[in-house]
Amino acid sequence: MNKENSFFVGWKDDMPKANRSLLIKFIVVLFISIPLLTFLIVKSQKPFNNHIFEFGNVKEFTGIYHADPVPILEVTDNKIPEGFSNYVLLVGFGKFGAEGIISNIEKSSGPLNGLKVTLQGTLIYGDGRYLMELTKKEDSLIKIFDEPTVANTHLYDRKKDGYSGEILDPKCYFGVMKPGEGKIHKSCAIRCISGGIPPVFRANIENGQYEYFLLLGPNGEKINKAILNDVAELVTIDGETSIINGWPVLYANPSDIIRINKKSYYAQD
Amino acid sequence: MSVNYSPVLWNKQKKLYDLILWIGILFMAVTFIIFQVLFHKDITLQTLIIRTTAIIAFFLLHIILIIGPLCRIDKRFLPLLYNRRHLGVSMFLVALIHGGMAIVQFHTLGDTNPIASIFTANSNYLAISDFPFQVLGFLALIILFLMAITSHDFWLKNLSPAIWKGLHMCVYLAYTLIVIHVATGALQYEDNPIYWTLLVLGVITITGLHLYTGIIETRKLSLPHTLEKEGYYKVCSLEEIDDQCGKSVFINGENIAIFKYDGNVSAVHNVCKHQMGPIGEGKIIDGCITCPWHGYQYLPDNGQSPPPFNEKLKTYRTSVLDGSIWVHPLPLEEGSFIEPTKIPQS
């Protein structure tokens, strides 16, 4: 290298030819490597699910409101497409459950449990399940119908069962976030479940098929705070299963949630 | 060099540097977004922003960290170093979008203060794979923020070069935090081995280049200078230094830059007052020693920057005997004049 010809002084207008020649090569190599690198990174990514969050699009649904064990609207106006359950899980705005909003609505309207109502909100859906965010908060209630009410939730017998899978916050998983699962989403899922969004256990049934269970304590109580540490982790849960208001439910003691590693999880697949 | 502080002293080189830098950033963003939309049409806008900015910032950080060693290996890379802080500030701005978007996405609109949530949502601090990786990214962002806001020479002058340099050396801490942030975050979700391969390759490149240049530098500087007469040490022959150029030597704990110019030999301290650049790798331009990093200048006979500047270097006595250069490693006060040693006409 000829030092005479390659000494660069930044405050001078001209760059020595030797520097310019090397730097052009360096920049060309960088510009060639950028698309190759981005292609490699993107192509190697895990695919995203096709779940949808209809952000900015508020819709109205009419049906029977069920308060227990978690807020659900049993849609009766045939607006739910085929292949999806018409039991729509209600969630609040942001990282909160719907109970706070419903509670505020009930202060003026009276108890809603079992009543036919029209609610407005933003739809979240995927893999056969619908959720509705009560985006308009206390203005989410459009109408209460003066019709005979359904007093009881639909209950089925419990049976002992156990699955492996992941505890998710359903709002993000079913469409608000991509991905709404796994380690990178863990903090958000903890915030959502801590804020009252019902935890959902995505059980690995077989051949990549999932069943989604609302996760409750042994007596049907909420266990949101007790399971935060195991959210977004691969776990096995032994408990009792049933179906309430169209949603499978897994009743389990938080102490029966056991962490497993990826190897044993996929071995069970 | 400038007496007064301006936000940026634009010149042709800096404008060209920033133009190429931002074309590169936009090019990377566009290619990444196009591939995402082509191969992952279900991606959300928020995730697209988070991932695009993550990739660009991490890539830029690697470029920033290899510039130093590349310049040690080949001086022709020095123009990359000249405006490196623009590269650093640009990288921080991209990283800020990534961090800000991630905080908004994952921690706002919840039951806890978003900043507190970063530290408390996942509290498995004793775990490895389950470690709260966002904390590491947040801490790295704080370091990058401090570096970005103190990047101007105003802060270099007021904090002192040693403290400023110490603060900016924290880029290595930030890099370490980000590597672990990626390893315990994204790489716990994405299971394609290509990601681990790329991460490890990046770390090996950065550490390998630094180790290689460090070893070379240490070997160069630790060459023993044992031949001593009346306190003077023999450092090299006259032919070893090109005219108007310098040489760095390390004798008795003193880092010394020796220059040969216009039939004279002079020696000054080898650490630039600006950003502690290696003066000995500079050159005499317009009668002044010119630092290779940012062009700071000093007179060779007294180590003083020419008026109106006031930077001063320690000076050392030299001698020329039998075609060899000798230097006395006892420094004189900064800015002390020493008559240059005349090179005998052969």
Side-chain angles (χ1 to χ4, degrees), chain B residues 58-285:
Chain B
F58 201 31
F59 184 73
L60 286 178
L61 185 56
H62 279 84
I63 300 292
I64 289 166
L65 290 176
I66 64 169
I67 286 176
L70 282 181
C71 291
R72 312 302 290 172
I73 293 166
D74 191 329
K75 300 283 180 288
R76 289 177 297 168
F77 283 109
L78 276 169
L80 293 177
L81 188 134
Y82 176 66
N83 215 23
R84 186 168 53 173
R85 40 184 138 172
H86 284 212
L87 187 50
V89 172
S90 301
M91 183 271 293
F92 164 71
L93 292 175
V94 177
L96 183 63
I97 296 172
H98 168 77
M101 195 71 201
I103 291 170
V104 168
Q105 171 98 329
F106 300 131
H107 296 281
T108 57
L109 299 177
D111 60 353
T112 304
N113 175 289
I115 302 299
S117 175
I118 295 169
F119 292 90
T120 58
N122 176 5
S123 54
N124 291 323
Y125 284 92
L126 296 178
I128 296 175
S129 67
D130 193 25
F131 192 86
F133 71 103
Q134 290 172 338
V135 172
L136 303 170
F138 183 76
L139 295 177
L141 194 61
I142 296 290
I143 293 172
L144 297 177
F145 168 72
L146 292 174
M147 290 174 60
I149 60 164
T150 60
S151 63
H152 196 274
D153 273 357
F154 172 84
W155 289 104
L156 174 63
K157 187 88 177 174
N158 285 286
L159 290 173
S160 84
I163 292 175
W164 188 90
K165 191 79 179 175
L167 173 64
H168 285 248
M169 288 297 277
C170 288
V171 68
Y172 293 102
L173 175 60
Y175 176 69
T176 306
L177 290 171
I178 293 169
V179 167
I180 304 172
H181 168 74
V182 173
T184 57
L187 270 55
Q188 296 302 313
Y189 177 74
E190 297 290 349
D191 45 20
N192 192 314
I194 195 70
Y195 294 113
W196 276 106
T197 307
L198 288 172
L199 185 71
V200 171
L201 269 177
V203 172
I204 288 174
T205 304
I206 300 288
T207 51
L209 279 172
H210 280 78
L211 281 175
Y212 172 73
T213 51
I215 290 167
I216 299 292
E217 291 288 308
T218 308
R219 276 187 191 160
K220 259 193 219 170
L221 285 174
S222 61
L223 283 175
H225 300 282
T226 52
L227 198 52
E228 183 245 335
K229 276 183 189 173
E230 297 170 3
Y232 284 80
Y233 286 77
K234 184 178 178 181
V235 289
C236 64
S237 68
L238 279 164
E239 288 75 30
E240 277 184 54
I241 304 178
D242 293 330
D243 194 36
Q244 310 297 323
C245 292
K247 178 183 174 68
S248 304
V249 293
F250 206 75
I251 305 172
N252 289 0
E254 286 295 318
N255 198 353
I256 304 169
I258 301 162
F259 280 87
K260 188 174 94 175
Y261 59 101
D262 304 334
N264 298 314
V265 171
S266 288
V268 297
H269 192 48
N270 192 27
V271 180
C272 181
K273 287 288 183 180
H274 177 224
Q275 282 191 26
M276 305 169 84
I279 294 283
E281 293 172 22
K283 194 181 169 191
I284 303 282
I285 295 175

Side-chain angles (χ1 to χ4, degrees), chain A residues 100-119:
Chain A
I101 294 171
I102 297 289
S103 173
N104 286 339
I105 291 172
E106 287 179 332
K107 283 175 188 168
S108 55
S109 69
L112 296 176
N113 189 28
L115 296 184
K116 185 176 180 182
V117 296
T118 299
L119 296 175

Side-chain angles (χ1 to χ4, degrees), chain B residues 234-238 319-326:
Chain B
K234 184 178 178 181
V235 289
C236 64
S237 68
L238 279 164
S319 178
V320 173
L321 190 66
D322 298 332
S324 294
I325 296 173
W326 296 64

Side-chain angles (χ1 to χ4, degrees), chain A residues 41 45 95 178 183 194 233, chain B residues 36 47 111 129 184 195:
Chain A
I41 290 169
Q45 260 179 218
K95 296 177 174 64
K178 306 281 183 78
K183 177 75 186 287
S194 174
E233 298 294 333
Chain B
Q36 286 286 4
T47 301
D111 60 353
S129 67
T184 57
Y195 294 113

